[in-house]
Every structure is written in C-alpha cells, then in structure tokens.
Amino acid sequence: MSNQHMGKAVPHDSAAKHVTGQAIYIDDIVLPAGHLHGYVSMSPKAHAQITSMDLSAVRTSPGVAAVISATDVPGAIDIGPVLPGDPVLADGWVEYAGQALFAVAAGTESEARAAAKRADITYDDLDAILDIETARAQGSYIVEPYAITVGDAQAALAKSANQLSGKLAIGGQDHFYLEGQVAVAMPGEDGDMLIYSSTQHPSELQHLVAKVLGKSSKDVTVEVRRMGGAFGGKETQAAPVACQAALLATATGRVVKVRLDRDDDMMATGKRHPFHVNWRVGFDADGVLDAAAFDYLADCGYSPDLSLAILDRALFHADNGYFLKNALIRGFACKTNKVSMTAFRGFGGPQGMLGIEAVIDDIARHLGIDRLDVTKRNLYGRDGTRDATPYGQRVEDNILPELIDQLEASSDYRQRRTEITAFNASHSHLKRGLALTPLKFGISFTATFLNQAGALVHVYNDGSIQLNHGGTEMGQGLNTKVAQVVADEFGVPLDAIKITATHTGKVPNTSATAASSGTDLNGMAARDAAQTIKARLAAFAAEQLGADGENLSYADGNVLIGEKTLTFAGFVRQAYMHRISLSASGFYATPKITYDPATRQGRPFFYYAYGAAVSEVVVDALTGEHRVLRADILHDAGRSLNPALDLGQIEGGYIQGLGWLTTEELWWDGEGNLKTHAPSTYKIPAAGDLPADFRVAFFQGENREDNIGRSKAVGEPPLMLASSAFFAIRDAVASVAGNRLNPSLDTPATPEKVLMAIEDIKQRRDTEQ
Amino acid sequence: MTKIRFLHRGEIREIHDPDPNLTVLRWLRENEGLTGTKEGCAEGDCGACTVVLGSLDAEDQLIYRAVNSCILLLPVLDGKQLIAIEDIGTPDDLHPVQDAMVASHGSQCGFCTPGFVASLFAEYHAEAPATDQRALAQSLAGNLCRCTGYRPILDAGLAALKTAGKDKFQARRADTISQLKAIERAGTLTTNYGGRSYSAPQTIEDLAALFEASPDAKLLAGGTDIGLEITKGRRSLDTIIYTGMVRDLTEVTTNETAITIGAAAPYTDAVPALTKDFPEASELFSRLGAVQVRNLGTLGGNIANASPIGDTPPVLIALSADLVLRQGKNERQIAIETFFTDYRQTVLRPGEFIARIIVPRRNQANLYGFYKLTKRFDQDISAVCGGFCLTVRDDVVTEARLAFGGMAATPKRGHTAEKMLIGQPWNGASADLAATALGDDFTPLSDFRASADYRRLSAQNLLRRFWLDTDPARDAQPTGVLDYV
Ligand SMILES: Cc1cc2nc3c(=O)[nH]c(=O)nc-3n(C[C@H](O)[C@H](O)[C@H](O)COP(=O)(O)OP(=O)(O)OC[C@H]3O[C@@H](n4cnc5c(N)ncnc54)[C@H](O)[C@@H]3O)c2cc1C
Ligand code: FES
Ligand code: FES
C-alpha cells in the first residue's frame, strides 16, 4: 500500500471554508419560509415540586404557534442516555436551576421568549443539595459507592514507614464550545422527522427523538455536517434541544429550530464533573508507594447521564503512570441539585490523575526530594514486573521512563530547577515554580460494546469517491484523517474523495465520536469498506483482465495490474461495465478488550497513550496572579496520521486544560444558580495565556497494537498535560515557606486561590517556628 | 422617512428607518443571509462576531477597526464602511491573512475563525501591525478560540502581517475614501421605526438641545454597556441619541495644563494621550476590554455607567480629573470623585450629560500606580482596581489619592489610608501602615469575581506593590508577573 497521505500534515478539509465564513453550521442553514423558533423555559429553582403550571397566557402571546409541556409529549418523557433520569420537559418537579420546564414555538425567537415570560408556575420548594460533602453526608448517590482494589491497602498502609494524607477539590469546567447547542427539526410525511443537529452522537439522538415522539428509529434521520466545537459537551447534551425541536415540529407540522444562547446553554447543559479527592498513602524513604487509598467523590448533578462511566474512568486513572501494589480506590457518585455533569475531554481521567499527582507532589516535598525523582521511582516497570494496573490490565508498552528522560533533557529540567531555586531565594514576592507531570491514558470506551464503528464508501464510475462514516466532525479533523486512509487505500489524490455529512441513514447504530476513538474506529471501518471494494476489484481483474489479484497496486491515481497500468477511473469504469458493485459498507470492532464490571477487572483498554509536560510559572505572592512562562511537551501519538492535526490537538488540549486548572471557575450561589454563565464571567484562556515559550514535540514511536496506521488516539490525552502548570504553581506557592510544607491549593488555581494558599502556608510556617 | 447610508460590498447601501435595536450581526445573518459572521455570546466577549468598520479620521485618512457586531446597533453604521468575512476573501481568492490561517492550520472547528480573520484583517491595516507574539496576542485578546490553543493563529497572523497593507482593499483605498466622503452627513440623522427613534447629532449644541427636550432618551456612545441591555437584558431602547458623531465629544486635546478627552472618544483614540503622560497606566488600559471593545467603548460611557467595577474611575480619581457636565446651554465642572453618589447613582440631572473629562498633566513630584486584578489577564472585569497618586516633597508624602474600584458600592478613595501616609516618608513601612488602615476604609462584598477577603487583602497588597514599583532604589527587577512575558 502506498503511503501518499497518511503521516502527512494535510490541512483540515474545511480550512478554506472556515477562514472565509463559508463553512455551514446548523444556525446557517437556510430554512423554508414559515419555519419557527423554539424557546425552552428554564427552572429558576434548584429543587421544587411544581404545584401548578398555567401556560394559557403563553399560548395567546403574539406569534406563538405551539406550547408544550411534559403532558404533551406523545412518547416517553425520559431521555436519559444510559439510565433514566433526564426528562425532556419537567414532569411534576424540578431538580436543578436551569432545567427545561416547557417549550414554545413562535415566529421569531424574541416572540417565543416574550411568550415564555407569561407563564404562571407555582412551586413548593424542597431542600436542595448543592455540594459534594452534603451529598455524602446524606448518602445522596446516583449508585452505591464502589471500589477497585488490588492487594491489601489497609494492611500495607499500617506497615508503611511514612504516611501522608491529603485532599484536593477539583473544579468543574464548562465546554464553552463556540457554537452553542442547536438543532433543526423538519417534519416529513408519516410523521417522519429529519434532524439537523450539532451532536457527537447522531445515533443516540435519533433513538431519543424517536422515543419522545413515540416512534421508532427508522422514522427519524439525523444529519451532522460539522460542529463548532464539542469536547464531550455534545455527546448527550445535544439531545434535549433536538428532542424539544422535534416535539414542537410535530405539534405544529412546521420546521422548528431550537438554539440556546450562551447564557441558556451554560445554565442548562452539563459540564465536567467537579470532584473531591481524599487520599492516604504509605511510602518508603525513597518516596516509593507501598499503599494508596483514594476516595473519589464526583459531583454528578441531578441525574446519571454518563456519570458512572466517567467515575469509572476516574478510578481507572487513579494510578496515572504509577504502579500501585496495594490500592483501595473508591468512587462516590454524588447526586446534587445541579445540572447533570457530563462528558468532557478526558471523561473523568483528568480528575483521576490529578489525585495521584497531588500525592506524588506531597511525598516529594515531605521527603525533600525533587518531584521528578519521586515520579520516576513510582512509574510502572518495563520488564514484566510492576506492570499490573489496579484493574488487572498489564501495561505492556510502558514508554514513560524513556519519554520522561527525553523531556527532562530537552527541557533542561535540572538546570532550570537550580536557577529557579536561586531566583526564589533572592526575590521578595515573585516566585517561580517548575513541574513535570506524566500521563498515561487508556484508549477505548470502557463499555466494551461501544467499541465498534461503520463506514460507507461509494466509488462512482468516474473514479470519484464518496466517503461516509459514523464519526462526527467537531474540529478535530476526523474527516480529513479518514479521507487520508481511504485515499491511500485507492491510491487516489485527496480531492478525489468527498467526505459527506454524518447521516444515520448511511451508517446506522454508531457510537458517539468520543473517548478519543474517532479515528481509530472510523478509520478502520472506512479501510474495511475500501478493502471490500478492492477485493471485488481484484476478483474482477483476475477474472476479466487475467491479472493475479494479489498483484494489484494502487498509487498516484493509477492501478498497476501486473505489467499494465490503468487509471483508477478507467479501471473502476471497466468494473462497473462488468457489473461489479463499487459500494461497500465497512465495520470494525476493537479487538482484545474485555472487562468485567462485576469484578472490576479485565482489559478495558486496547492500548495506552502517553505524554509528559514541563511547565514553568511565575507567581506574584502579593496578588496571587500567575503566568506560565514556558511549557515543554513531549507527546505520544504513535505514528501520527497527520502531525498538523495532532499538534493542534496537543496544543489545544494543553491550553484547555490550563483553563480548567487556572481561570475557569464555575460559581453557584447559595440557591444553586450558576452565576458564571457567559464569557464575561467565565474565563477561558485567551491568546495572551499561551506560554511565551511553548515547545511541543512528538515522541518517536509507533503503536504496538495494530491500530490504524500504528497511530495513537490524541483527542483527549493532551488536556492532562496542563496538570504540570498546576503543580508548578503549587511549587511556587510552596517556595514561600521554604518548599517544606504542602500548600492547600484547590483548582481552579485562580489568583484568589493562590493568594489564599500563600497566606495559609505563611501562617503554618510561622506557627511552626 | 430617513435612510441611513453605509458602504458594504463596494456599494452604498441605503436602509430606510432601520430598527435602531437591530444589531449589525442580526442584520447580516437574518436580513442579508450573510451567515459567515457568527454569534458566540452576544455580549462582546468572544469575538466570533467581529467585523471591521472603515471610517475617515480627521485628516480624511481611511482607518479600519475591528468591532463586535453583536452589540453594534445598525444605524451606527451611517457614514461608515462595513467589512464582514464574506468581503475579505473567498476560497478561490483568499486574503493573505486567510491564506496564512490555512497554511498554519489555524482553524479546527472553524466557528471562531471568521472573527479571528476579521481581527487580523484590521491588524493588517493598522498603522503599526504587531510584530511579535505578545503584541499580536494583545490585538487578538477579544477573540476566543476553544480548539487551537492560539499558537497556530498567532503564527498565521505574524506571517501574514509581514506583508501587511498589500491587499485589494489597499488598492481600492482612494475609491473607498471618495465613497465615504460622498455619504458624509451634514446635520443630525433622525430615524423612526415603529415607536423607536434614533438621532445622531453632530454638534454639542444639537446634542444638548435634543437631550434636554427628551431627557428620557438613552444616550448611546460605544454601546459596549447598553448594547447588552438589548442582547442580554432583552429590553427595548425606544429613544436613542447617539453621541459618536458629535465632534466636540470625540476630540482629544492636550495643552500645557491638561489633557481634555471628549466623553464620546473611543478608548483607542483617548488612551494614547493619557498613557503618554502616565505610562504607568498602559498595562491597565491594554487590559480594559480588548481591541473590539476599546474601538467602541468610551470614557464617558464608563463613567456614566457608574459601575463600582469600572476601570477608569479609580484611574481618573487618582489623577484628580474633573468632569464637564452639560445640560442645555449650561455647563458645570465637578471633580470626578463627587460624581458617584451611590450604587450606580450619579449627580447627573435629567437631560444632562458628560461633555468631557479634564485630566491635569503629569506632575513630576507625583508618583503614580494603576492596577487591575482579574481572573484572566486579558478582557476581564476587575475584581479590584486601584489608581494611586502620591505627592512626595522633601521625602515626605504631602498628598495622597488612593482610589479603588470593586471595594465599595461606588469607586471610592481610601481616606483613612491616605491620612496615614501624609507626613510620612514613602517607603515599605509606610505602605504597610496604609495597607492596614485600608481595612477601615472598605468592607467589600463577596461574589463570583472574588471574595471579600481576597478583595481586602489584594487591595492592601497593591499598596505594597505600589511601593515596590516606585522605590527609587528599585533595580531592573520585574515586580509583576506580566513583566516576564
Ligand atoms: C467584552 C467587554 C469587556 C469589557 N471590559 C471592561 C473592562 O475591562 N473594564 C471596564 O471598566 N469596563 C469594561 N467593559 C464595559 C464597557 O466597555 C465600558 O464601561 C465602556 O467604557 C462603556 O462605554 P460605552 O461608550 O460603550 O458606553 P455605552 O454603552 O454607550 O453607555 C454606557 C452608559 O453611559 C451612558 N452614557 C454614555 N455616554 C454618556 C455621556 N457622554 N454622558 C452621560 N451618559 C453617557 C449611556 O446612556 C449608558 O447608560 C467591557 C464591556 C464589554 C462588552
Ligand atoms: S458574539 Fe461574542 S463578541 Fe459578539
Ligand atoms: S477553531 Fe474551534 S473555537 Fe477556534
């Protein structure tokens, strides 16, 4: 197989459309005259019984075509993706401020909004649980607490030479995709529904729309050309607006668009789970862990959504890259009266890793050893020992020791450490900090059955190709990568291939484009489809052209058949004339993975992706302000399919992670109202937050598993590289008190949190003396 | 019936009595079907809706400025050129900044991209386009991207800006100028749409007369505060008087004793005069909003808005600025610190407006310091803002003005702390004394921007930081984290 495109820095297939404003998003679609705008009214209460809902004034408001509440839903009200718990419209009570109450369709959005204001709703307030600790105290859980265990943590702890405990509160994160949630519902004949949605999960959305309409999946079609960003926030969270639009379209027989403005989007839709991590560890004089006990408490919000899988993944990443001989890792899925927290790049993994990185940090300071040395001493082994994870999977390709050594050298870690120590000793209120953090991230959906994908490839008899697969394009460049795979299979230039919108009518029963799996799964499925067609072409060539089927080769727009060269177009034309089918579907199911949820043991992941980063920060001890001065990243993308797109994921992931850990603060008031619900109050990184010195490199290597092109998934893992910045801040804070005491610093490390941590550590230092 | 006239897509567009509450973004997307410009927030904070306005300056030179179309009201376009993403280039004919964006892989999901391209386009036509990462990051601080992490966008921008000024817009410059001259308006523009009226007077006399006659009208300057009343508050503004065309209100002049800033001069025009005398304020002003907001927003709007967290009042109080207020034919001059009476309350009478701000020139005996504390450095509202000015004679503080925003219901001086300093030498110990006294001056609130504790402590520390910044023995060592980048 020629390798014309795979491995090349091909630009995103929509790049020229992006930069000229010609890429079409849902809100840009020209809709037929007479279409309506839907607006969904939201609960002002965090927890209340709805005692009455009078919508008569809403109905008579100007421009209104339909008003629906739960009682008007023809099918099922619950649209929980895995477990029930998410009503499409409130059904008698509300469980978070921002929950959908009823929906209005009107000629314009402002008419719909104005109408909604006229609703007369009365409530009986109920007690609201607004934080993790209260939920735990009251035993308010989505499921009963559970644990992953290996060895005997309690016994080992008791015997350990050194013990430490600590806790870390980890903030949530809003996705802040630039394009908010939006869907258009177009009613057809027989009550069929065509949905244009900005969703990562067209198949689930199709299923849920059918469910609320009281129909089946065959009656509903979902199309997604592209999303204006998603990051996990459009895995399950795209469904409510699509279902509401479909209900309004059914009620009116007209096309309905529902689009959340930024504030509504941020108040109504799920976010990254806030976590509390409490830990107790035992370790030897070198800082090597003997035993670790972790409690991970996730704020799941009011409903299960994907929380269980997310908590699972947090627990699966409680080891990060470190060997835990004896571990007790407990998970608590706390139910609170907040929006239901959901998937977000990393899917619990980042919170899982942050816990043990705090442990490494504290051990290092406790023993007076550089955290890099404690990191290295605890890594998984490479020789078949110290390689079992707490859930029983073996770490077969542990490249972290090598990767970290390379980064340590290329970043001048040791020398900078010396310089920084000298700087901090000489400077009154500016303190610098440095940290290296590694990452190991498991690739595969932990629910094994989701690891499947389909594709559909049509070769037209002029030699052009239409490619469709079950994955969705959200900016990551999935379509480009899959096209690179197919172009190389057929030896044609990229512009011979048209990548079309994802469409449930073309590829059915797809999994969400999530878990970093988009290219792994869909690339393989598309290749399978292409190879099916190629097998038919080989048989045709053998039969009709007398060629040895094995000897067909495709390159540069030509097909080499034995000695003969035909153009690809000419060849497929001949095949067509001989009535050979030039269209095929492809399928892929990830091999090797098995996991038993009952024992919590198995091999949930096909492989691991690795990386490490060194961040250096400067902190102002008078104000708590801080800045990342330099970041060095070494990341493992296997044999990258497209280094330009992969670099984009790495850099974008780091900056997004930096936002999560430093500036992005979700702030709920005492009544459970989110007060940071727009960019004026919720601060994602801006261009100036890019480290002035930013050095990103790929680790040279390839995937030991037979993944597409020996590449590795790169969507989620880089987000966790930003933990290096958080621990660098912690390092700078600790330097205020001589680098001996462990700072109490939670995330996001806003200037306020940093200044308060500095005050706290100064006080502890002073009382100690 | 009146029509507004502006230049769009090479042609003069005329719109009869437009809805003055219609934003340029909605007009583009809904009325014109030009959907390349995106809405990411509808509050001026994300830049997805960025478009470029062309206008003529006092010397009839064409200047291009990036603005947020989501909070820009349509009639404000009168007399200007509007450039949206569709006009900058097409896939077959990419503008140099677009070409560079593709080559640098500067787009992922692409939703922020048209806004970045518009901002880069304006930068491409700037007098002195950015030449390094930090400067360009400043110019792009009003554009958020959630996907890329900005590096490829900054690379693209820096590459494209090397050839800045060489595009088809430059080639058409003379034509554009004559088209703009052709639509210049002589008198007051007045439009009526349903019950909504919009007037744009050109002289201070006309403005005064109009406002006196309808004191319930809303004055519109840059609209970066009141634009949000429409897009976020979802209120309708029925009578609007636009101040942006009033010559006397948009002038900025400096003489021997004072810098005089017209209340309706956008920051972009007003700030250079201030930072020339007071370079200590440069960082604060570069972090007030971002380019798009500073291209529209005004000092007059910031002051009249009377927000306790507005950035210019503490600065201006520290600088002993005066305001000239006008009502009808009468003008009165007051010290800015007497302007604010209570939470969002001012001394303005019905029909009275701020005409100009008078800032005394730099006094060499004075020490100045201006500070803004935020969660994110760029384009963020202050948790605490401090404007400080000390007069030190014969090594003793003779006058002190320590003004704060974010610490009380109004921008306010810390009189107790000031008193502590009078008669003292200015040193670290005095700064500590003043910091402690500040505790008696303010009882700040807790909210989502900061807790009361942080506000109090960081405000105190800003006085310490002020000492470090003004310490005569200070070596070249940086005192703030931004000095490092
Ligand atoms: C994204 C964004 C970021 C921002 N960042 C900051 C920031 O960092 N710091 C900060 O302080 N502010 C910030 N603001 C707020 C705003 O930009 C400023 O307050 C700005 O100075 C307002 O000026 P304007 O001309 O836009 O006022 P407008 O919105 O036009 O008017 C504001 C108010 O002042 C009145 N008014 C205007 N001119 C006069 C006059 N001459 N006489 C009497 N009344 C008048 C208006 O009627 C209105 O009530 C930000 C706003 C946005 C959208
Ligand atoms: S839409 Fe965000 S700034 Fe205008
Ligand atoms: S490319 Fe997606 S927000 Fe910038």
Side-chain angles (χ1 to χ4, degrees):
Chain A
M1 189 183 70
S2 69
N3 236 3
Q4 299 269 327
H5 301 100
M6 284 162 75
K8 293 237 166 70
V10 176
H12 194 287
D13 64 285
S14 292
K17 283 176 281 191
H18 291 155
V19 301
T20 53
Q22 297 198 6
I24 295 171
Y25 302 80
I26 308 290
D27 196 33
D28 304 337
I29 297 174
V30 180
L31 299 179
H35 70 268
L36 300 168
H37 294 263
Y39 172 72
V40 183
S41 177
M42 302 190 308
S43 164
K45 306 268 184 187
H47 196 194
Q49 192 84 34
I50 299 174
T51 44
S52 70
M53 192 189 273
D54 179 358
L55 302 178
S56 48
V58 184
R59 288 200 170 85
T60 55
S61 189
V64 170
V67 182
I68 52 165
S69 58
T71 48
D72 305 309
V73 175
I77 291 170
D78 201 294
I79 55 169
V82 183
L83 298 169
D86 300 287
V88 65
L89 294 169
D91 191 14
W93 74 90
V94 287
E95 293 186 90
Y96 77 96
Q99 187 173 342
L101 292 169
F102 62 91
V104 190
T108 66
E109 196 218 332
S110 26
E111 284 172 340
R113 275 181 186 271
K117 283 214 183 93
R118 300 168 149 209
D120 185 2
I121 304 174
T122 57
Y123 302 88
D124 257 352
D125 285 338
L126 300 168
D127 284 343
I129 298 175
L130 297 173
D131 61 84
I132 289 176
E133 297 308 335
T134 313
R136 185 174 190 177
Q138 299 191 7
S140 169
Y141 298 123
I142 298 280
V143 292
E144 284 309 300
Y146 62 93
I148 293 176
T149 52
V150 61
D152 187 341
Q154 298 300 355
L157 262 173
K159 277 190 284 176
S160 261
N162 301 286
Q163 286 196 23
L164 268 181
S165 62
K167 59 176 191 253
L168 179 68
I170 304 171
Q173 183 177 29
D174 189 83
H175 303 84
F176 209 87
Y177 26 64
L178 263 279
E179 176 209 38
Q181 304 285 355
V182 57
V184 171
M186 294 199 176
E189 54 185 41
D190 298 332
D192 289 357
M193 199 59 71
L194 170 62
I195 306 278
Y196 293 97
S197 164
S198 182
T199 176
Q200 293 172 253
H201 203 345
S203 287
E204 182 175 274
L205 201 123
Q206 171 196 26
H207 172 72
L208 293 173
V209 167
K211 198 171 150 188
V212 293
L213 296 182
K215 302 229 152 208
S216 55
S217 292
K218 71 179 190 317
D219 307 318
V220 178
T221 302
V222 178
E223 181 174 314
V224 187
R225 172 61 187 92
R226 61 169 62 78
M227 284 165 268
F231 315 109
K234 294 174 180 172
E235 185 171 347
T236 61
Q237 303 297 297
V241 292
C243 290
Q244 289 147 0
L247 288 166
L248 290 169
T250 301
T252 58
R254 285 154 78 178
V255 174
V256 177
K257 169 153 76 183
V258 177
R259 172 183 162 276
L260 301 185
D261 75 2
R262 180 61 57 187
D263 305 75
D264 291 351
D265 186 300
M266 289 187 73
M267 289 188 272
T269 71
K271 310 179 188 316
R272 184 189 294 286
H273 289 62
F275 266 72
H276 284 186
V277 191
N278 301 322
W279 48 266
R280 174 174 295 281
V281 292
F283 48 96
D284 68 14
D286 292 329
V288 177
L289 286 160
D290 302 321
F294 287 99
D295 280 354
Y296 283 92
L297 295 91
D299 183 345
C300 299
Y302 85 101
S303 79
D305 186 70
L306 302 172
S307 291
L308 300 186
I310 290 165
L311 185 57
D312 275 353
R313 188 169 276 272
L315 303 195
F316 286 142
H317 287 81
D319 61 337
N320 193 9
Y322 308 110
F323 175 63
L324 300 177
K325 198 165 29 180
N326 299 290
L328 169 63
I329 306 163
R330 299 198 295 178
F332 300 81
C334 301
K335 179 179 155 92
T336 61
N337 292 107
K338 288 192 194 148
V339 65
S340 192
M341 306 300 164
T342 193
F344 194 145
R345 201 176 199 170
F347 206 72
Q351 295 96 319
M353 292 179 191
L354 222 47
I356 194 152
E357 288 303 331
V359 168
I360 297 289
D361 217 52
D362 281 10
I363 292 177
R365 224 167 268 116
H366 182 80
L367 295 176
I369 307 174
D370 194 294
R371 77 163 271 142
L372 177 55
D373 296 311
V374 179
T375 296
K376 288 181 173 186
R377 288 169 196 169
N378 280 290
L379 293 176
Y380 280 106
R382 310 197 55 180
D383 44 10
T385 59
R386 291 174 54 88
D387 70 344
T389 62
Y391 46 91
Q393 176 159 355
R394 303 215 161 256
V395 182
E396 293 168 331
D397 69 339
N398 184 20
I399 56 172
L400 269 182
E402 206 178 324
L403 190 152
I404 290 173
D405 285 346
Q406 286 180 20
L407 183 63
E408 176 183 350
S410 65
S411 67
D412 283 328
Y413 180 90
R414 302 286 173 181
Q415 196 196 325
R416 286 162 68 201
R417 169 68 70 208
T418 313
E419 281 167 21
I420 287 169
T421 307
F423 174 94
N424 288 345
S426 73
H427 209 289
S428 62
H429 73 286
L430 291 182
K431 300 289 173 189
R432 280 154 71 189
L434 184 74
L436 181 152
T437 55
L439 81 89
K440 162 182 132 290
F441 192 76
I443 303 295
S444 292
F445 288 100
T446 54
T448 303
F449 74 94
L450 293 174
N451 296 287
Q452 55 171 313
L456 180 65
V457 173
H458 300 320
V459 177
Y460 293 98
N461 62 26
D462 64 353
S464 68
I465 298 167
Q466 227 180 54
L467 163 61
N468 205 275
H469 55 80
T472 52
E473 175 62 46
M474 58 197 90
Q476 81 280 47
L478 171 62
N479 283 345
T480 310
K481 284 183 169 182
V482 177
Q484 286 175 276
V485 170
V486 172
D488 285 354
E489 280 297 322
F490 288 120
V492 296
L494 271 178
D495 62 10
I497 299 176
K498 170 135 255 153
I499 316 149
T500 59
T502 312
H503 193 282
T504 54
K506 290 191 181 172
V507 179
N509 305 324
T510 56
S511 295
T513 309
S516 306
S517 69
T519 309
D520 289 9
L521 298 179
N522 295 290
M524 284 298 220
R527 186 159 85 180
D528 179 50
Q531 288 179 346
T532 302
I533 297 173
K534 281 168 72 175
R536 292 185 203 139
L537 289 172
F540 157 72
E543 207 170 288
Q544 299 293 331
L545 307 178
D548 173 0
E550 303 293 301
N551 266 341
L552 283 194
S553 80
Y554 295 78
D556 305 324
N558 293 318
V559 189
L560 197 67
I561 305 167
E563 303 287 278
K564 251 194 305 201
T565 303
L566 290 178
T567 64
F568 179 72
F571 179 50
V572 297
R573 174 91 195 154
Q574 283 194 38
Y576 164 75
M577 295 306 289
H578 286 85
R579 299 189 293 173
I580 303 299
S581 163
L582 295 174
S583 168
S585 63
F587 186 75
Y588 177 70
T590 311
K592 294 192 177 177
I593 46 178
T594 57
Y595 180 67
D596 180 359
T599 58
R600 305 196 182 276
Q601 295 287 311
R603 175 179 181 160
F605 305 118
F606 186 28
Y607 62 90
Y608 295 104
Y610 302 90
V614 178
S615 293
E616 180 182 341
V617 302
V618 57
V619 169
D620 182 337
L622 289 176
T623 61
E625 295 166 291
H626 50 76
R627 202 79 171 149
V628 181
L629 300 176
R630 172 173 165 185
D632 294 62
I633 291 171
L634 188 57
H635 195 79
D636 162 36
R639 192 193 289 160
S640 171
L641 281 186
N642 185 325
L645 298 180
D646 287 354
L647 182 64
Q649 291 301 304
I650 297 168
E651 293 174 334
Y654 177 87
I655 298 296
Q656 198 173 65
L658 187 64
W660 170 48
L661 295 173
T662 60
T663 56
E664 295 180 36
E665 190 166 34
L666 294 166
W667 197 92
W668 282 271
D669 70 11
E671 264 73 61
N673 298 297
L674 179 67
K675 287 297 184 188
T676 49
H677 51 70
S680 48
T681 48
Y682 184 77
K683 309 311 282 188
I684 72 165
D689 296 312
L690 178 70
D693 191 351
F694 195 34
R695 310 181 190 192
V696 183
F698 288 99
F699 180 76
Q700 295 304 315
E702 59 172 42
N703 197 335
R704 73 192 299 277
E705 301 296 343
D706 184 17
N707 196 46
I708 186 81
R710 297 277 170 188
S711 67
K712 285 193 180 180
V714 73
E716 295 167 285
L719 181 117
M720 286 145 263
L721 297 166
S723 68
S724 55
F726 175 71
F727 289 102
I729 294 171
R730 224 169 169 250
D731 183 43
V733 172
S735 75
V736 171
N739 293 94
R740 291 174 302 106
L741 302 171
N742 281 312
S744 356
L745 179 65
D746 292 331
T747 87
T750 55
E752 166 159 357
K753 290 225 182 72
V754 171
L755 185 62
M756 294 312 178
I758 288 170
E759 290 302 303
D760 169 77
I761 208 168
K762 277 202 237 160
Q763 248 171 34
R764 283 193 277 142
R765 173 197 61 195
D766 296 345
T767 46
E768 223 185 38
Q769 280 162 359
Chain B
M1 201 166 69
T2 8
K3 44 201 182 190
I4 66 159
R5 288 174 310 199
F6 58 95
L7 200 54
H8 185 219
R9 323 209 84 186
E11 283 170 23
I12 293 170
R13 292 291 307 261
E14 300 191 332
I15 299 178
H16 289 278
D17 290 311
D19 177 358
N21 286 359
L22 182 65
T23 62
V24 171
L25 177 64
R26 284 188 49 210
W27 178 77
L28 282 169
R29 292 184 58 84
E30 295 169 21
N31 297 34
E32 297 293 297
L34 294 170
T35 53
T37 308
K38 308 298 180 200
E39 179 187 298
C41 69
E43 61 173 18
D45 242 291
C46 78
C49 66
T50 305
V51 296
V52 177
L53 291 188
S55 61
L56 300 180
D57 67 7
E59 278 86 51
D60 278 347
Q61 287 301 305
L62 180 59
I63 46 173
Y64 284 128
R65 286 182 177 173
V67 298
N68 292 315
S69 65
C70 67
I71 50 172
L72 184 67
L73 302 180
L74 187 62
V76 174
L77 292 182
D78 187 56
K80 300 191 173 69
Q81 179 188 17
L82 170 66
I83 300 171
I85 186 68
E86 288 84 358
D87 313 322
I88 295 176
T90 60
D92 302 327
D93 180 21
L94 294 177
H95 185 276
V97 302
Q98 293 171 321
D99 204 36
M101 281 287 279
V102 174
S104 295
H105 308 278
S107 69
Q108 287 185 21
C109 79
F111 204 81
C112 69
T113 315
F116 273 98
V117 168
S119 287
L120 286 171
F121 173 87
E123 186 72 12
Y124 188 85
H125 287 277
E127 220 173 300
T131 53
D132 61 55
Q133 181 179 313
R134 188 175 182 187
L136 186 57
Q138 279 288 327
S139 301
L140 296 178
N143 291 84
L144 297 178
C145 174
R146 193 51 151 166
C147 300
T148 63
Y150 302 101
R151 196 273 313 155
I153 300 175
L154 292 166
D155 279 1
L158 290 174
L161 291 174
K162 287 199 181 120
T163 66
K166 297 197 194 93
D167 63 359
K168 58 185 189 212
F169 291 83
Q170 186 64 22
R172 258 196 261 127
R173 213 172 175 97
D175 287 348
T176 308
I177 291 175
S178 48
Q179 280 177 305
L180 285 174
K181 293 226 62 112
I183 56 170
E184 262 179 14
R185 190 175 294 278
T188 300
L189 163 73
T190 312
T191 67
N192 282 290
Y193 167 92
R196 294 177 185 155
S197 78
Y198 174 91
S199 356
Q202 302 210 342
T203 65
I204 192 166
E205 291 77 20
D206 288 351
L207 167 63
L210 271 169
F211 197 26
E212 194 175 33
S214 49
D216 291 334
K218 220 28 183 157
L219 288 188
L220 168 73
T224 60
D225 278 316
I226 51 174
L228 277 65
E229 287 185 23
I230 297 173
T231 62
K232 293 270 135 154
R234 307 209 178 252
R235 276 184 289 276
S236 114
L237 302 185
D238 293 334
T239 314
I240 297 176
I241 304 175
Y242 178 54
T243 59
M245 300 305 288
V246 180
R247 276 179 300 275
D248 310 83
L249 254 64
T250 50
E251 268 171 15
V252 181
T253 56
T254 304
N255 66 18
E256 261 164 42
T257 55
I259 304 164
T260 303
I261 297 169
Y267 289 109
T268 307
D269 295 333
V271 166
L274 283 173
T275 52
K276 196 164 172 218
D277 262 29
F278 309 102
E280 295 90 343
S282 299
E283 183 200 306
L284 180 142
F285 280 115
S286 74
R287 289 170 50 202
L288 191 160
V291 171
Q292 293 94 319
V293 168
R294 295 195 298 270
N295 280 340
L296 293 173
T298 64
L299 263 71
N302 196 239
I303 298 163
N305 201 46
S307 157
I309 46 178
D311 283 327
T312 68
V315 173
L316 296 170
I317 292 172
L319 293 178
S320 308
D322 277 355
L323 302 180
V324 176
L325 310 181
R326 176 156 178 151
Q327 183 190 36
K329 294 193 165 49
N330 302 322
E331 287 195 346
R332 55 176 174 143
Q333 183 163 342
I334 63 163
I336 183 171
E337 54 182 298
T338 63
F339 181 74
F340 309 101
T341 53
D342 204 341
Y343 180 70
R344 307 210 92 154
Q345 299 294 313
T346 72
V347 300
L348 280 178
R349 299 167 184 152
E352 190 177 39
F353 60 92
I354 306 171
R356 52 197 178 274
I357 299 115
I358 299 176
V359 182
R361 297 291 306 269
R362 185 183 187 93
N363 179 340
Q364 294 306 338
N366 286 358
L367 301 172
Y368 300 96
F370 306 98
Y371 302 95
K372 177 174 162 80
L373 295 179
T374 50
K375 277 186 206 167
R376 183 179 71 198
F377 280 104
D378 293 315
Q379 181 146 291
D380 195 358
I381 303 294
S382 301
V384 175
C385 176
F388 311 140
C389 174
L390 296 183
T391 310
V392 184
R393 289 187 208 281
D394 303 325
D395 295 331
V396 172
V397 177
T398 57
E399 219 192 305
R401 304 174 73 82
L402 308 174
F404 287 91
M407 296 290 288
T410 62
K412 201 175 139 238
R413 286 170 68 179
H415 288 295
T416 321
E418 290 173 356
K419 274 198 205 99
M420 290 304 288
L421 286 177
I422 306 293
Q424 302 287 326
W426 176 231
N427 57 26
S430 304
D432 280 340
L433 275 179
T436 312
L438 208 58
D440 295 336
D441 281 320
F442 295 103
T443 24
L445 294 179
S446 290
D447 68 6
F448 49 84
R449 290 210 168 83
S451 68
D453 284 346
Y454 177 71
R455 287 194 159 107
R456 195 177 304 108
L457 180 59
S458 63
Q460 292 174 324
N461 283 349
L462 284 182
L463 294 178
R464 300 186 170 104
R465 171 79 181 279
F466 180 40
W467 156 247
L468 294 171
D469 283 337
T470 52
D471 180 357
R474 177 189 167 187
D475 50 23
Q477 274 218 14
T479 55
V481 299
L482 283 178
D483 300 333
Y484 273 92
V485 210

